Amino acid sequence: MGKPLSVLLVEDSADDAELLELELLRGGFAPSIRRVETGDEMRSALIATSSWDVVLSDYHLPTFSAEAALATLQESGRDLPFIIMSGVVRAEDAVNLLKRGAHDFLDKASLARLVPAIEREIRDAHERVQRRQAEERVRVLSLATEQSPVSVVITDREGVIGYVNPKFEKATGYSARESVGRPIDFIHRKDGGEETYRAMWATIRSGQEWRGEFCNQRRDGQLFWEYATVSPLEDANGAITNFVAVKEDITVRRSYEERLLRQANYDELTGLPNRLLMLDRLEQGIAAAHRRNISTALLYIDLDRFKNVNDSLGHAAGDQLLKEAALRLADCIREGDTLARMGGDEFVIILPGVDDGIAVQKVADRIVDVFSPPFSIVGQDHFVTGSIGISMFPNDAADGQVLLRNAELSMYKAKEQGRGRYQFFTRELNERMQERLLLESQLRGAAGRGELRLDYQPLYDLRINAPVGMEALVRWRRPPDTLLQPGSFIGLAEEVGLIGEIGDWVVATACKEAFGLFNGRRNGLRVAVNVSPRQLQGGAFGDWVRRQLDETGLSPDQLELEITESVLMDDSPETGMTLRKLCDLGVRLSIDDFGTGYSSLGYLQRYPFDTLKIDRSFVVGAMTDPNTARLVETIVTMAHGLGLETVGEGVETAEQLDFLRGCKCDLVQGFLLGRPMTPMALDGQLG
Ligand code: C2E
Ligand code: MG
Ligand code: MG
């Protein structure tokens, strides 16, 4: 079988057509020939079939001609090989037709050239089609590139720009004329990103596609971010000839991400690094110090009495103070140091790479100095100092967490010593901390193991000169065998969340033991129980107390709960609700250690208190200082005015007792009248 060949033959002679067919068969074709003699016939043949391979045309026909046939073919829009087969023709006529688009000219008398000519022309026609398709593709591609919503840049092998699309011009502000001939990276931001560019070149030079983000600079200097895909273009042999970069503007997304990053790492109020970023820098500082065999110092700074400003002037004033404090602190450090805000009124300074304590001490001195002028907040001067704790790597700690904790611990020590000072971490502080940790673990579950007990100190009524009750004071028999006073463990219990467990035990035990002690005795006796402000915050305390009263049978007015003055400053709704609930139960409420906090007598009206206990320090002070003496008198008078009973605490001498009696103080409590004692010992003293 030959190759199929579909021939449109323009010819009036059937004999010639037959000769042609034979020639084609001989040449290895399997021809199918359609012979036409007129323009109309040819037109309909062209319309009827689309699969013509070639048009062969006689030069001269009775009513048609090669010239007209060529025109007919061209009108139809088909691109087919057109070969003229003829007898003798004038050379200029032949040339004329070739010029018009005929592909070849053959002599009918010698058809030897026929088959190769057809083969060649078919091949050429095929190539023409492909070329046209390729051209069309290029046209569409270039339109797409020209009108693309993303930037397109094409460079040569060296990265020199050969083409940029209009979007690129718009995005960068550089025209195509300004861009072509320059290296592709001319718009890259000059600082930073070198690593990225290096990675990109390495990837694309190795023939691979690279994707990534660049920061570029517009002609007007503005920076913008692009997500780029850069691909090498290869020739038929696989050699790289060009690079094409397609780039999308992602500035909006980047700025959003950067904002998120900022929020995660910086404090919004002061703009300083936050705790998270500080920890990161601390790790870096420690790693660098370790490598270089030097020290890193950490300063933990807490503003003294910040809470006062915040509470009395409001949060806006507090914020203003914090910002000002941040500025002053920033003034104390040098490049490379880190100043961070830990939250609240706490700041941290990291000094990476210090030689010795002297350099650190200089910074600490400077901090103390910058805090000495007053802060002008809402038109008023406030003196706010900073207490500073300092710890150093590697001397005081082997890692960041411990370094931070030790600095914080030292800060508390500085505060204890009188605020506005600094304190280096010491071995002794370390031991104290170890001891604290041990204490905490031992205190956990102490109530359940029966290690707690209550002593009772008599409350003496000056109006009837008789004891009218007692205050329950907790003690802890700490293993192996030490009796601890509440001063050594209640604070810790409050801090580490153990006060609920201990406080519940105290209330339950005091109710039970008091019921036993009071049983059968006259009314008016009461047991006072100390309650930590923390216990009032949960919201469940009121119900717990009622259950204890129900279970033990103690009458509510025989229970008095002592709460320290700080509760007055706490306006949390939960505390208020708990206090009112207790009052509704008929339980008495007492304000303990009055005068040691910052509250005024006016605060007492907020909550339904029955008793006010004047702190021992006032009772002691009144003996030597007339001002304090007058203050105690005023407190008693005002308390009476508010309907409160008064108790003078810590009475050790007859002189103190006389003074309080003179002030019309109602009750007293103190070693003079009775030390804290066991329930059994107390039993003999009551009534
Ligand atoms: P507070 O409520 O003011 O209790 C009075 C403290 O003063 C008791 O110390 C008592 O022993 C001591 N004291 C009494 N009279 C005199 C005196 O004449 N001279 C001197 N120098 N001291 C006197 P204590 O037992 O060490 O208790 C200390 C504080 O611990 C109590 O102060 C109270 O705030 C707290 N506390 C005691 N028991 C509990 C408790 O069960 N729960 C809570 N949350 N706190 C408690
Ligand atoms: Mg008390
Ligand atoms: Mg007290």
Side-chain angles (χ1 to χ4, degrees):
M1 270 304 267
K3 288 173 278 178
L5 183 74
S6 186
V7 179
L8 180 57
L9 179 64
V10 183
E11 175 64 75
D12 57 325
S13 154
D15 291 349
D16 282 2
E18 226 168 285
L19 281 174
L20 176 80
E21 185 170 16
L22 281 172
E23 186 63 31
L24 290 174
L25 282 167
R26 205 176 310 137
F29 286 111
S32 86
I33 299 175
R34 167 85 190 275
R35 187 168 64 85
V36 296
E37 289 180 60
T38 65
D40 286 344
E41 279 178 0
M42 184 177 173
R43 262 187 292 278
S44 41
L46 282 169
I47 292 167
T49 320
S50 62
S51 58
W52 300 114
D53 291 313
V54 63
V55 180
L56 301 177
S57 177
D58 193 5
Y59 184 74
H60 195 73
L61 294 89
T63 59
F64 205 27
S65 68
E67 189 179 353
L70 180 60
T72 305
L73 177 66
Q74 285 169 344
E75 271 164 34
S76 78
R78 308 275 287 268
D79 178 22
L80 293 172
F82 188 92
I83 300 173
I84 300 160
M85 298 192 307
S86 173
V88 183
V89 170
R90 287 194 310 157
E92 56 256 58
D93 292 338
V95 169
N96 185 27
L97 277 181
L98 288 172
K99 270 190 187 158
R100 288 199 191 177
H103 292 106
D104 206 353
F105 207 100
L106 302 179
D107 192 342
K108 264 189 189 175
S110 71
L111 282 178
R113 273 184 62 218
L114 178 68
V115 168
I118 288 178
E119 280 175 339
R120 185 195 66 230
E121 287 309 324
I122 287 177
R123 207 168 48 236
D124 283 359
H126 184 70
E127 272 171 21
R128 273 202 306 281
V129 169
Q130 281 198 328
R131 194 163 52 242
R132 243 197 330 276
Q133 281 173 353
E135 277 166 11
E136 177 61 9
R137 234 180 9 243
V138 168
R139 193 182 66 85
V140 171
L141 274 178
S142 79
L143 269 184
T145 314
E146 286 282 305
Q147 294 171 20
S148 162
V150 297
S151 296
V152 179
V153 182
I154 300 172
T155 74
D156 66 10
R157 249 187 6 224
E158 308 307 321
V160 174
I161 295 177
Y163 169 84
V164 298
N165 74 344
K167 178 68 190 184
F168 174 93
E169 298 180 290
K170 218 168 118 202
T172 62
Y174 290 103
S175 70
R177 239 191 28 214
E178 289 170 305
S179 311
V180 169
R182 294 172 86 161
I184 184 161
D185 53 11
F186 85 98
I187 56 163
H188 290 171
R189 187 172 66 175
K190 301 300 165 281
D191 55 329
E194 285 80 7
E195 208 39 53
T196 314
Y197 305 137
R198 251 200 303 283
M200 178 197 77
W201 281 115
T203 309
I204 60 178
R205 286 225 165 90
S206 76
Q208 278 162 323
E209 181 179 281
W210 184 90
R211 288 162 199 268
E213 295 178 2
F214 286 126
C215 186
N216 292 332
Q217 194 154 22
R218 284 175 54 88
R219 188 170 210 239
D220 61 13
Q222 209 182 322
L223 297 177
F224 68 105
W225 281 92
E226 280 182 326
Y227 177 75
T229 305
V230 188
S231 329
L233 300 182
E234 294 171 358
D235 65 12
N237 304 321
I240 295 172
T241 58
N242 299 82
F243 296 109
V244 56
V246 176
K247 311 193 287 179
E248 189 185 350
D249 191 317
I250 52 162
T251 308
V252 173
R253 196 196 84 204
R254 282 295 292 229
S255 68
Y256 178 68
E257 284 172 357
E258 268 160 24
R259 213 173 60 228
L260 284 183
L261 199 70
R262 263 202 92 69
Q263 276 170 359
N265 284 301
Y266 290 85
D267 169 51
E268 219 169 311
L269 179 69
T270 59
L272 294 177
N274 64 12
R275 186 188 177 86
L276 210 68
L277 186 54
M278 187 283 295
L279 288 175
D280 200 49
R281 300 254 176 96
L282 184 58
E283 290 312 323
Q284 286 173 20
I286 284 181
H290 188 70
R291 267 198 314 276
R292 291 163 50 203
N293 209 8
I294 46 171
S295 293
T296 281
L298 193 140
L299 287 74
Y300 203 110
I301 304 136
D302 184 282
L303 304 188
D304 302 317
R305 299 201 186 81
F306 168 75
K307 201 172 169 328
N308 281 2
V309 173
N310 217 29
D311 287 347
S312 57
L313 298 179
H315 288 294
D319 284 357
Q320 201 186 326
L321 176 66
L322 287 172
K323 278 199 229 174
E324 172 69 25
L327 285 177
R328 291 191 189 185
L329 287 172
D331 232 24
C332 303
I333 59 170
R334 285 183 316 194
E335 213 180 308
D337 300 343
T338 294
L339 166 64
R341 180 172 171 220
M342 299 294 281
D345 59 348
E346 294 178 353
F347 297 85
V348 155
I349 288 177
I350 302 168
L351 306 175
V354 284
D355 308 326
D356 53 23
I358 311 280
V360 185
Q361 197 169 344
K362 273 194 189 140
V363 176
D365 276 328
R366 176 134 178 73
I367 295 173
V368 171
D369 275 355
V370 296
F371 276 102
S372 62
F375 287 78
S376 172
I377 306 289
V378 284
Q380 264 181 20
D381 279 355
H382 293 269
F383 287 90
V384 175
T385 51
S387 294
I388 307 154
I390 304 164
S391 64
M392 307 213 0
F393 170 88
N395 252 4
D396 302 332
D399 67 62
Q401 290 293 346
V402 178
L403 195 67
L404 193 65
R405 194 189 60 199
N406 289 350
E408 189 181 0
L409 205 69
S410 312
M411 180 273 290
Y412 285 120
K413 174 82 176 169
K415 261 195 204 299
E416 259 173 47
Q417 286 172 339
R419 299 158 200 271
R421 328 167 156 244
Y422 56 85
Q423 166 73 49
F424 278 86
F425 184 72
T426 60
R427 291 268 155 252
E428 167 216 326
L429 265 173
N430 194 20
E431 276 157 26
R432 196 149 46 117
M433 190 187 57
Q434 299 301 338
E435 162 68 11
R436 231 180 81 108
L437 287 174
L438 178 66
L439 198 66
E440 180 190 331
S441 74
Q442 289 185 325
L443 189 55
R444 223 166 268 285
R449 291 191 301 268
E451 292 168 10
L452 299 182
R453 71 155 213 254
L454 293 180
D455 276 354
Y456 293 93
Q457 184 176 34
L459 276 163
Y460 193 86
D461 193 328
L462 291 176
R463 294 163 299 192
I464 56 170
N465 287 319
V468 288
M470 65 282 193
E471 175 175 6
L473 296 161
V474 69
R475 272 82 182 104
W476 174 29
R477 187 163 296 282
R478 180 193 181 187
D481 192 26
T482 345
L483 189 69
L484 287 191
Q485 302 297 308
S488 352
F489 63 92
I490 288 294
L492 177 69
E494 285 179 334
E495 260 175 60
V496 301
L498 287 172
I499 194 65
E501 177 183 319
I502 294 172
D504 285 353
W505 179 89
V506 171
V507 172
T509 308
C511 288
K512 197 167 65 206
E513 293 183 342
F515 183 77
L517 284 165
F518 297 163
N519 203 12
R521 282 182 234 267
R522 67 184 153 81
N523 269 346
L525 286 177
R526 62 173 118 146
V527 62
V529 177
N530 292 286
V531 168
S532 151
R534 289 276 173 101
Q535 288 170 266
L536 304 175
Q537 282 165 4
F541 188 65
D543 287 330
W544 164 263
V545 170
R546 206 200 39 218
R547 232 173 312 134
Q548 300 319 305
L549 292 171
D550 289 350
E551 280 174 21
T552 58
L554 190 72
S555 153
D557 62 356
Q558 291 183 313
L559 178 64
E560 181 163 80
L561 298 178
E562 294 192 3
I563 301 152
T564 50
E565 200 185 355
S566 64
V567 145
L568 297 176
M569 314 279 285
D570 174 5
D571 347 285
S572 84
E574 276 184 349
T575 300
M577 255 160 53
T578 304
L579 288 177
R580 257 175 286 279
K581 181 159 206 169
L582 291 168
C583 183
D584 291 345
L585 282 177
V587 168
R588 295 174 59 97
L589 295 179
S590 164
I591 190 88
D592 203 354
D593 303 341
F594 190 83
T596 53
Y598 298 102
S599 61
S600 77
L601 278 162
Y603 279 151
L604 287 173
Q605 286 169 297
R606 272 200 212 158
Y607 296 118
F609 283 99
D610 302 285
T611 308
L612 181 150
K613 300 185 79 167
I614 301 165
D615 191 66
R616 171 172 177 266
S617 58
F618 288 88
V619 175
V620 173
M623 297 303 97
T624 51
D625 177 21
N627 284 333
T628 308
R630 257 197 308 283
L631 187 65
V632 172
E633 260 177 284
T634 312
I635 292 174
V636 173
T637 313
M638 287 190 66
H640 285 163
L642 290 165
L644 301 175
E645 266 188 350
T646 49
V647 180
E649 288 190 277
V651 179
E652 292 181 356
T653 65
E655 192 195 356
Q656 291 167 346
L657 186 64
D658 286 343
F659 166 73
L660 289 169
R661 212 190 283 275
C663 292
K664 303 258 176 331
C665 187
D666 307 301
L667 301 130
V668 284
Q669 180 182 352
F671 293 170
L672 183 68
L673 300 130
R675 287 183 175 260
M677 56 190 93
T678 61
M680 246 207 311
L682 185 73
D683 206 13
Q685 305 216 354
L686 283 179

